[in-house]
Amino acid sequence: SGDVVAREPSATLEATTGDLYVAYHDGICGALKVARRGDSSWTVETVDRGDALPSGARAITGRAPSVTLTSQGEVAISYQDRTRGRLYYTRLRLGVWDRELVDRGDGVAQTGQRPKNIVGAFSSLSFDVNDAPTIAYFDSGVAATRLATRGAAGAWSTDELDNDGLVGLFVSSSRSPSGGVVVSERVTPTSDGLTSQMSVTRLEVDQ
């Protein structure tokens, strides 16, 4: 099958200018990139090349990106560091990408006394009316849907939304002045095989 340059793309439009932004994982170099199309041409920028590892290699990052814009038109992206199983958030401020670690993947998995280590897949980024970011994502260590919220002081907190069965696949979230919603796929084994259902969690305004 070979390497794929643009994996797991996520797109958003700037309402005033019509500029298109596409965040994606570059499968060849293992980095997070964002492509922008303005009036007539594309520009591509590397957002995160991946941190250097003790081995000398770089972490594979930029998986499962979700890109959106603040009310001021700033580009923001949530994504997974695949090598270390971490969830990151980055925002373009004055021409510089400001990266924040959202969830390290620390903790103990329910399936055994071992570190979880893998979070951040299927991330979905949205903003509330005050431009506070929230990220819904899959925690594979406990097979659950989680929600990360950034407080006014800049600290991130995470909460488990749903852990009934294997849930949290293909997460999607949306916010509005009246609250928000997080949906994902729940897979349940039965005597006839696997069944798939939709998990829906409504968010209150103060979340």
Side-chain angles (χ1 to χ4, degrees):
S1 58
D3 293 322
V4 180
V5 173
R7 301 190 66 180
E8 304 167 336
S10 172
T12 190
L13 280 171
E14 209 287 325
T16 303
T17 65
D19 288 357
L20 170 64
Y21 295 89
V22 182
Y24 61 94
H25 170 71
D26 187 325
I28 294 177
C29 65
L32 172 67
K33 293 186 177 182
V34 63
R36 172 181 173 270
R37 182 175 174 82
D39 293 334
S40 60
S41 62
W42 287 93
T43 58
V44 177
E45 180 181 2
T46 299
V47 178
D48 189 345
R49 299 180 183 277
D51 294 336
L53 303 174
S55 64
R58 286 191 174 275
I60 296 173
T61 194
R63 298 301 301 267
S66 177
V67 62
T68 191
L69 303 175
T70 69
S71 63
Q72 302 302 313
E74 294 177 323
V75 185
I77 309 170
S78 63
Y79 60 98
Q80 182 192 52
D81 177 326
R82 184 62 174 269
T83 300
R84 293 174 295 183
R86 296 175 176 178
L87 176 65
Y88 281 102
Y89 165 83
T90 189
R91 186 165 169 174
L92 187 60
R93 301 174 187 269
L94 301 176
V96 178
W97 290 100
D98 183 13
R99 188 183 75 167
E100 301 175 19
L101 177 59
V102 178
D103 189 340
R104 298 178 58 90
D106 294 341
V108 176
Q110 295 178 359
T111 52
Q113 296 300 307
R114 56 182 178 78
K116 293 189 299 184
N117 275 339
I118 303 176
V119 300
F122 309 116
S123 76
S124 179
L125 171 65
S126 58
F127 288 94
D128 66 13
V129 293
N130 299 310
D131 270 346
T134 58
I135 306 171
Y137 60 99
F138 179 55
D139 181 340
S140 65
V142 294
T145 308
R146 296 190 70 84
L147 185 73
T149 305
R150 190 178 190 272
W156 287 90
S157 61
T158 66
D159 295 292
E160 195 169 87
L161 293 183
D162 191 348
N163 63 1
D164 184 9
L166 174 56
V167 66
L169 305 175
F170 308 105
V171 181
S172 181
S173 64
S174 180
R175 301 299 302 265
S176 75
S178 60
V181 64
V182 176
V183 298
S184 68
E185 181 183 8
R186 183 196 320 277
V187 176
T188 305
T190 69
S191 58
D192 297 323
L194 297 176
T195 63
S196 178
Q197 298 174 313
M198 183 187 301
S199 165
V200 180
T201 303
R202 295 194 175 274
L203 307 178
E204 301 298 330
V205 176
D206 60 355
Q207 286 186 275

